[in-house]
Amino acid sequence: MNAFTFYMPTKVYFGRNCIIENKEAFKALGKRALIFTGRHSAKINGSLADVTAALDGVGIEWSVFDEVEENPSLETIKRAADKGVAEGADFVIGIGGGSPMDAAKGASFLIANPDKEAEALMAAEPLKHVPVAEVATTAGTGSETTQYAVFTLHKQGTKNGAAQKTFADIAFLDAKYTESLSDKVTVNTAIDALTHLIEGYTSKKANYMNDKFAESGFEIFKECIPAIKALDFNLEIREKLLLMSTIAGIVIAQAGTSLPHACGYMPTYEKHIPHGRANAIFTRAYLELFEDQTKVNKMLSILGFDTLADFDGFLKSILDPKEEFTEADVDRYTDALMATPGKLALHPFPLTREQVREMYRKSLMVY
Ligand code: NAP
Ligand code: ZN
């Protein structure tokens, strides 16, 4: 068996009204919170109201930075952190999808290191940070149970995972906040979580214990497939999707994401393809790279598909059609990926440039 380390220090509160019922948990984090949200959703789905009521209930001061954009940039993180420093915030709370949750993690480092520029988030020198709480309002990224944060780097024209990593101290998962999600965001984010399960399950760092989490995630996803096909999401299904996505977060926290995520970042930056759909575009060709298909077949069988082509057909049937790409795009993306070996590091066997190019070509031009 592979040797492994399993580390997941976040205290997860799952269930209806979990924020209000566990408001005391905020007291261990600090005395003044800076809350991160996107522009709209947290104000309408009840999550911001519940967090602020909980903080008021335990005498914690708070303010809100509500300007986190999708795929947040380093510039935004720095602006928010400056606000936190000016106000004396001693912990952060991210409320939203992955974008506000990641923004809160990034700012937790910059608030603790006010002399640092945002680029320090991408640099190796370890930084201390203030405590982090997360409230997930999409069922997708699992950022509430991962140590990762992904930021847009305008100077480099792409997105990248931050070098500074921290798990949230506490995370709240109440599916009622996800009821306001559009069908499209529900599906794209569910597929993001599914690709986390798949990439963690097939990563070089896969191990027995983590695989059991991934397999339980596949089982839960299977139960949601009829609702996803019918675009019919009741609260029970939304709870399952949320549970699946947080399990998927636990999986990638241990085993990382792999090539579909690495391949998706540039197309997302250039063509504004939603993150989950960008991963899905590469999933079939990625899984075909494995000469030994034992695990791929096990995964397909748990998910209820006979073949990889059937699974790919399902993904295509529920996602928007892919954008137009050219051979020049394929070459450019291949060169960029080959120039960052770290992105290939979790693939279990070495890949040639030709194999990587073929994966891009099949994904973007053929299937
Ligand atoms: P998101 O970018 O956080 O949000 C997408 C959209 O959904 C926004 O318009 C947002 O509106 C809206 N929204 C969020 N919650 C809603 C709700 N309950 N009801 C209605 N609308 C809602 O989407 P995401 O897919 O969750 O996160 C994507 C980001 O996470 C990417 O940057 C990706 O790279 C990153 N990511 C991180 C990890 C990790 O481990 N840290 C893993 C995978 C992906 P508002 O702006 O108004 O809130
Ligand atoms: Zn993802």
Side-chain angles (χ1 to χ4, degrees):
M1 268 191 194
N2 285 351
F4 68 88
T5 308
F6 193 98
Y7 181 64
M8 212 303 279
T10 305
K11 187 160 186 178
V12 176
Y13 297 91
F14 185 96
R16 304 195 189 163
N17 292 325
C18 60
I19 294 180
I20 298 294
E21 283 174 12
N22 298 287
K23 58 179 185 284
E24 299 289 325
F26 285 114
K27 281 163 62 180
L29 304 192
K31 293 189 164 33
R32 182 168 182 109
L34 179 60
I35 301 171
F36 289 72
T37 70
R39 287 195 185 271
H40 307 291
S41 67
K43 297 183 189 100
I44 55 169
N45 62 31
S47 53
L48 180 60
D50 281 355
V51 167
T52 55
L55 295 174
D56 289 342
V58 293
I60 292 175
E61 290 181 277
W62 53 269
S63 66
V64 180
F65 180 86
D66 67 358
E67 295 166 40
V68 181
E69 74 276 34
E70 290 183 40
N71 306 302
S73 66
L74 287 183
E75 290 80 0
T76 299
I77 312 302
K78 179 66 179 158
R79 209 150 43 81
D82 287 347
K83 174 179 162 71
V85 170
E87 294 173 352
D90 57 7
F91 74 104
V92 295
I93 305 173
I95 306 177
S99 298
M101 287 196 285
D102 286 2
K105 286 184 194 168
S108 77
F109 291 97
L110 298 181
I111 288 173
N113 298 274
D115 53 318
K116 297 283 183 195
E117 291 304 320
E119 281 69 21
L121 296 175
M122 313 309 286
E125 183 203 348
L127 300 177
K128 55 187 173 37
H129 61 90
V130 299
V132 179
E134 303 282 26
V135 179
T137 70
T138 62
T141 70
S143 178
E144 69 280 4
T145 48
T146 77
Q147 67 277 52
Y148 310 121
V150 184
F151 299 124
T152 293
L153 312 176
H154 287 303
K155 287 180 193 155
Q156 275 116 298
T158 187
K159 295 170 56 179
N160 244 331
Q164 303 300 329
K165 295 186 175 63
T166 181
F167 285 94
D169 296 86
I170 55 177
F172 295 98
L173 296 166
D174 184 337
K176 76 178 176 216
Y177 307 135
T178 68
E179 287 188 296
S180 54
L181 285 169
S182 68
D183 290 345
K184 194 167 275 189
V185 177
T186 302
V187 172
N188 284 332
T189 48
I191 297 307
D192 183 24
L194 177 63
T195 57
H196 294 165
L197 294 172
I198 293 172
E199 292 173 47
Y201 194 57
T202 51
S203 148
K204 190 178 191 167
K205 286 187 169 171
N207 61 68
Y208 181 84
M209 190 150 137
N210 213 36
D211 284 358
K212 292 297 153 200
F213 278 87
E215 287 166 7
S216 75
F218 294 139
E219 279 165 20
I220 301 170
F221 187 87
K222 183 186 180 185
E223 292 169 22
C224 299
I225 287 177
I228 292 174
K229 283 183 173 164
L231 297 179
D232 182 13
F233 303 106
N234 60 28
L235 190 56
E236 196 189 328
I237 288 292
R238 289 199 179 278
E239 281 194 318
K240 287 185 178 175
L241 290 172
L242 193 56
L243 182 59
M244 188 266 304
S245 80
T246 212
I247 289 172
I250 292 170
V251 168
I252 59 169
Q254 317 307 317
T257 55
S258 190
L259 288 177
H261 269 70
C263 294
Y265 287 153
M266 279 180 82
T268 286
Y269 186 85
E270 293 181 0
K271 299 187 194 272
H272 308 291
I273 304 175
H275 172 68
R277 183 159 69 80
N279 304 335
I281 289 173
F282 296 98
T283 295
R284 177 179 178 182
Y286 162 70
L287 291 173
E288 284 176 348
L289 287 170
F290 290 82
E291 245 173 60
D292 179 352
Q293 289 276 304
T294 311
K295 257 184 133 174
V296 175
N297 289 334
K298 184 161 183 193
M299 171 198 98
L300 290 173
S301 129
I302 301 172
L303 287 168
F305 294 96
D306 291 334
T307 65
L308 201 43
D310 289 346
F311 176 55
D312 190 49
F314 159 72
L315 292 177
K316 288 205 173 69
S317 72
I318 56 163
L319 296 167
D320 281 349
K322 68 171 178 256
E323 291 64 9
E324 293 284 314
F325 292 91
T326 63
E327 291 281 349
D329 290 330
V330 168
D331 281 325
R332 205 159 39 80
Y333 295 155
T334 304
D335 288 342
L337 192 69
M338 296 308 289
T340 42
K343 294 197 166 165
L344 295 161
L346 290 179
H347 193 68
F349 48 89
L351 291 173
T352 63
R353 184 182 191 286
E354 203 34 56
Q355 283 174 302
V356 169
R357 189 184 186 286
E358 185 59 8
M359 180 185 58
Y360 270 111
R361 201 185 64 81
K362 280 180 175 173
S363 304
L364 300 179
M365 319 272 305
V366 179
Y367 295 145

